[in-house]
């Protein structure tokens, strides 16, 4: 009876886990992207994990500057492409330190990776006259109007390209929570992502890349049963 009671009260006594989160990466914006992960128990300390993440990737030399137009909005000087990374993830969560019942911190080691589908679309700017142009057109066409700001991601969807690649990440997940059925915490780690070709995000740069390493931190929440 004592052994059965101990197993029932074990805060790791669950079989499935659902996680949602938002991420800040060194090669992304203030909020780089968001993800969903599902895990199920393989053994007392190992969970098998599947996930999907969408993230914006930026070139290291992108520079935000104010619009010269009085009513304009800031834009990225030199930028000509968006890169949205769609990451499929498969791997494992390893329980490193188990938290006590109703208190403490649980620490998991996470190793996941998989194929990447890179969605590349034009970064279009809107002139004061209402025309949609690229930054190259703005600086190379005589008499171009003043830039009023970016036109928005959806303005170039009809010209979208796809680049295939792969991703791999290693991280530590710190979980804080008073109840075993709810998850709150954060995750820190490193991500390496490579594409099959160089992606020209900033044509005026001396270097464009097909390999994008980054450090990241994620805020996450979820549930388990």
């Amino acid at each position: 009876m004592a052994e059965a009671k101990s197993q029932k009260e074990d805060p790791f006594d669950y079989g499935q886990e659902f996680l949602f989160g938002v991420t800040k990466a060194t090669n992304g914006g203030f909020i780089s992207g968001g993800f969903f992960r599902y895990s199920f128990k393989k053994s007392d300390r190992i969970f098998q994990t599947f996930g999907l993440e969408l993230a914006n990737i930026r070139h290291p030399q992108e520079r935000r500057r104010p619009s010269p137009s009085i009513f304009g909005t800031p834009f990225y000087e030199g930028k000509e492409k968006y890169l949205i990374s769609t990451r499929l993830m498969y791997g494992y969560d390893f329980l490193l330190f188990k938290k006590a019942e109703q208190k403490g911190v649980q620490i998991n080691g996470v190793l996941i990776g998989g194929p990447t589908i890179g969605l590349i679309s034009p970064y279009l700017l809107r002139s004061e006259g209402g025309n949609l142009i690229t930054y190259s057109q703005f600086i190379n066409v005589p008499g171009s109007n003043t830039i009023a700001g970016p036109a928005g991601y959806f303005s170039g969807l009809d010209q979208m390209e796809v680049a295939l690649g792969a991703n791999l990440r290693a991280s530590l997940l710190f979980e804080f929570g008073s109840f075993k059925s709810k998850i709150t915490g954060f995750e820190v780690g490193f991500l390496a992502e490579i594409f099959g070709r160089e992606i020209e995000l900033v044509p005026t740069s001396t270097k464009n890349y097909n390999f994008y390493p980054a450090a990241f931190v994620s805020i996450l929440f979820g549930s388990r049963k």
Side-chain angles (χ1 to χ4, degrees):
M1 292 294 291
E3 181 179 353
K5 182 177 180 181
S6 175
Q7 291 178 350
K8 183 177 180 181
E9 294 178 351
D10 186 349
F12 195 63
D13 186 20
Y14 54 89
Q16 299 179 77
E17 189 172 83
F18 303 86
L19 281 180
F20 301 86
V22 293
T23 298
K24 162 62 180 174
T26 53
N27 63 355
F30 176 70
I31 296 180
S32 306
F35 65 86
F36 165 76
R37 296 209 302 255
Y38 165 73
S39 304
F40 65 90
K41 190 174 183 179
K42 294 288 289 183
S43 68
D44 285 346
R45 289 185 173 269
I46 299 176
F47 267 55
Q48 197 165 10
T49 299
F50 299 87
L52 174 67
E53 181 174 34
L54 293 177
N56 176 43
I57 296 179
R58 290 181 176 170
H59 190 282
Q61 294 183 14
E62 288 184 18
R63 296 293 180 266
R64 188 177 174 90
R65 59 162 290 181
S67 168
S69 175
I70 296 177
F71 300 104
T73 56
F75 66 96
Y76 286 97
E77 186 175 24
K79 181 180 177 72
E80 296 219 355
K81 296 288 179 66
Y82 288 104
L83 174 57
I84 303 298
S85 182
T86 305
R87 300 167 184 150
L88 304 176
M89 299 179 290
Y90 168 79
Y92 293 91
D93 279 29
F94 305 92
L95 177 61
L96 303 179
F97 297 97
K98 183 188 299 186
K99 68 179 178 180
E101 183 75 15
Q102 303 292 328
K103 62 180 180 180
V105 180
Q106 178 172 304
I107 303 176
N108 286 15
V110 182
L111 182 63
I112 53 178
T116 293
I117 302 173
L119 305 178
I120 307 164
S121 62
Y123 178 75
L124 297 177
L125 302 171
R126 190 177 299 278
S127 70
E128 281 191 325
N131 297 320
L132 298 182
I133 57 175
T134 64
Y135 187 78
S136 294
Q137 291 171 332
F138 168 70
I139 61 176
N140 293 327
V141 177
S144 294
N145 291 325
T146 300
I147 294 176
Y153 178 75
F154 295 102
S155 60
L157 287 183
D158 58 332
Q159 303 175 52
M160 180 177 289
E161 306 171 42
V162 173
L164 299 181
N167 67 87
L168 179 68
R169 75 178 62 204
S171 61
L172 290 175
L173 191 158
F174 299 84
E175 180 198 330
F176 308 90
S178 300
F179 305 98
K180 72 176 186 180
S181 61
K182 300 295 182 183
I183 303 170
T184 55
F186 69 93
E187 182 179 13
V188 293
F190 296 93
L191 166 71
E193 188 162 41
I194 189 168
F195 293 92
R197 62 183 174 90
E198 185 178 286
I199 300 173
E200 197 173 62
L201 299 180
V202 181
T204 57
S205 170
T206 56
K207 177 68 174 176
N208 281 280
Y209 306 90
N210 71 328
F211 179 60
Y212 294 89
F216 70 90
V217 58
S218 299
I219 299 173
L220 52 88
F221 58 94
S223 64
R224 58 168 63 109
K225 59 183 181 179

